[in-house]
Amino acid sequence: MDTDRNEHQIIRKDARACFVESLNDSFQFGKVHFGFATYDMKRPEGQRQTNSVHIYMAVDEFLELCRKLCSGELRYMMNQRVKEGNKEPLYKCLGGTSAEKLAKINRSRPDGMSLSRTAELVCGKNGNFLFAASSGPGETNKTGLIVPRFGNSPENHVSVSLTYENFSGLMLTTKAHYEAWLSAWYARQTESKKETPPKLERIPAQPKENVLEPVYSVEPGYGAVAMF
């Protein structure tokens, strides 16, 4: 990972020759960014990364996964899957970049297809999780969802083994950072909307009304009488 990306790192969990990290650089887009990578320490420095997949999970999906984690529902689901021998993912995320968008940023694939990115949370051995991410050719359907078309042969694949506690640490630490970012965002919005105190304007002097002077009429036998 480059220096700029490391500056956005929230937390990283390592397994054997691989890791998954969460980053805070996509909160403003309503996404939680997870970076998956494998590496080979036998390679020269700067060339050790062998696979890399970036997953952008929608915030609402992320928070729902955290809810299941905190309530114990996820642990119950895991135990049921293991008991039944069910290999269905506990969670699956589909995403990627359409062929049209890739073309706009001059990064079109040689096959002209969309880039599919998937992430799955599956039961591992001894009560562990496997948090796996894959990428490869995909196809955009009518609803805009990018469906993977790489079968069992993704171009990039990273599978990180995590204990229940390690997975909890990854998710809940990321959740705390998202909530802190959201609070700061609301604070900035409130501050920017504060109106400056209204300036006191000097009210110009109003012109005096034209008051008719009383007219006096002098008649024989009478004194002066004001006539209005």
Side-chain angles (χ1 to χ4, degrees):
M1 309 297 285
D2 57 34
T3 302
D4 290 340
R5 193 170 296 282
N6 282 335
E7 290 178 356
H8 294 290
Q9 185 185 87
I10 297 171
I11 187 173
R12 167 174 160 168
K13 293 294 183 179
D14 287 80
R16 186 175 181 180
C18 62
F19 66 84
V20 57
E21 63 178 350
S22 65
L23 303 108
N24 63 12
D25 56 359
S26 296
F27 288 163
Q28 64 266 37
F29 307 117
K31 303 287 186 179
V32 178
H33 181 186
F34 291 97
F36 294 76
T38 58
Y39 55 87
D40 184 354
M41 293 301 293
K42 295 180 181 179
R43 290 190 174 192
E45 188 174 353
Q47 303 176 25
R48 292 173 178 170
Q49 183 171 287
T50 53
N51 286 280
S52 177
V53 183
H54 295 279
I55 300 297
Y56 297 87
M57 190 184 296
V59 165
D60 58 343
E61 292 185 15
F62 168 75
L63 294 177
E64 172 60 12
L65 191 55
C66 289
R67 182 197 66 79
K68 290 180 179 178
L69 183 67
C70 293
S71 67
E73 182 178 346
L74 194 62
R75 187 184 289 275
Y76 174 80
M77 292 169 61
M78 179 183 70
N79 291 335
Q80 287 297 108
R81 294 279 202 281
V82 172
K83 183 178 179 180
E84 298 169 1
N86 187 346
K87 296 184 179 180
E88 183 182 351
L90 296 162
Y91 169 78
K92 188 170 184 177
C93 173
L94 296 179
T97 307
S98 67
E100 292 76 14
K101 188 171 182 179
L102 288 173
K104 287 181 180 179
I105 59 177
N106 297 319
R107 297 182 65 180
S108 296
R109 293 174 52 86
D111 55 16
M113 298 186 72
S114 299
L115 175 62
S116 170
R117 300 188 189 93
T118 67
E120 292 183 345
L121 181 67
V122 298
C123 298
K125 296 180 180 180
N126 302 320
N128 294 344
F129 288 124
L130 286 178
F131 200 14
S134 303
S135 67
E139 185 177 21
T140 306
N141 65 14
K142 294 181 180 179
T143 63
L145 182 67
I146 299 176
V147 182
R149 291 289 183 253
F150 48 76
N152 294 322
S153 302
E155 294 171 344
N156 288 278
H157 177 75
V158 181
S159 182
V160 184
S161 178
L162 299 169
T163 64
Y164 192 93
E165 290 73 21
N166 282 341
F167 182 72
S168 295
L170 173 70
M171 301 298 286
L172 299 183
T173 302
T174 303
K175 179 176 180 286
H177 278 251
Y178 173 72
E179 290 172 342
W181 175 87
L182 190 61
S183 296
W185 183 86
Y186 273 113
R188 289 194 300 270
Q189 296 299 309
T190 302
E191 189 67 25
S192 64
K193 290 179 181 180
K194 283 184 178 179
E195 296 181 358
T196 55
K199 294 182 179 180
L200 296 176
E201 297 183 3
R202 186 178 182 82
I203 300 175
Q206 297 297 316
K208 294 182 179 181
E209 295 181 358
N210 293 325
V211 180
L212 294 176
E213 293 291 336
V215 178
Y216 297 94
S217 174
V218 179
E219 294 185 7
Y222 295 91
V225 179
M227 304 295 292
F228 294 94

